[in-house]
Amino acid sequence: MAEPPFPVPSDAGETPAGAVAEQRAVDRAWRSWASLIVAAAVIVGALIGFVIIPAGQRENAGLSLYEAVCRSLGLTPGSPAVRQPVSAAVSVPVSQVSWRPEIMEILASGNTRRGAELAAQTCAACHGDKGLSQTDIPALAGQTPYAIYKQLSDYRTGARVNEQMTPVAKQLSASDLAATAAYFAAASREYAAIGERDLVSDIQIERLAKEGDTRRRIPACLSCHLNGVGGPIETPVIIGQDGDYLLAQLNAYADGTRNNDVYGRMRDISAKLTPEERELLARYFQGTM
């Protein structure tokens, strides 16, 4: 019987040992080349990202090559391409009012003897015996104790500054301020109708005060600035206040010179109002329109 022209494996499922060894050699060669290519790409990328680019940009930043490379590697803070500014800005003071349990207890206690003494000694000359100011000094009549205490506390901490009120508030303790606020709120309770005078205005300003302007995201003034309407407890009543005083506060909020409003509410609202709207609203709430 003649032999076949090529060898036939004894088992069709087996591979000759020589073919296996040859395949392994080919695989090792490809793996070596692939590893070399990847390594070269990483090295080139690192040189470009951490040396070449920083070196080209370091002159604009006024850095040495060493400083630029260290920043690129994250070893030192800063960008290798940007000169790091030195800021001398001072953080803007914000309201630090704290509604501690002992303060809330004093504010809820009503007409305190200590508050009456302090009011007679330091407050009545400007704000009136019962908070009924007749000038551009804000009236305290009809305000909640929380509204009065909030402003006194801000004067004390420096969040709000006034050449007369700041030194007065700073010489008193937080408890004294709370007692004073409780006294005025209780003494002027009979004048709570300060927020009920008949207001006359043009339709646009009245709508702005009562309904706001949803297009500009301006809430209604009276949604907060009336006692018992559900706004923040420290919100003051503004109906009946002196128009010049109200206008000065709206303008101060608008330009940022007054910044003791919690969460920047009034700064945001006032900045959205036009100067004419601020003036008309001040007159509206004084009750002179």
Side-chain angles (χ1 to χ4, degrees), residues 25 35 40 54-55 67 73 78-79 82 85 110 117 120 133 136 145 164 166 199 208 214 227 232 246 248 266 275:
S35 299
E67 290 174 320
L73 294 173
S79 166
V82 179
E117 293 174 355
S133 171
D136 60 352
Q164 291 180 299
T166 296
L199 302 180
L208 195 58
T214 56
N227 291 335
L246 290 177
M266 283 305 305

Side-chain angles (χ1 to χ4, degrees), residues 38-83:
V38 171
V42 170
I43 292 172
V44 171
L47 288 173
I48 293 174
F50 297 129
V51 179
I52 297 176
I53 293 178
Q57 296 177 335
R58 67 185 178 84
E59 293 184 1
N60 294 332
L63 302 173
S64 67
L65 177 61
Y66 175 77
E67 290 174 320
V69 172
C70 286
R71 286 187 176 187
S72 295
L73 294 173
L75 300 178
T76 56
S79 166
V82 179
R83 184 186 298 276

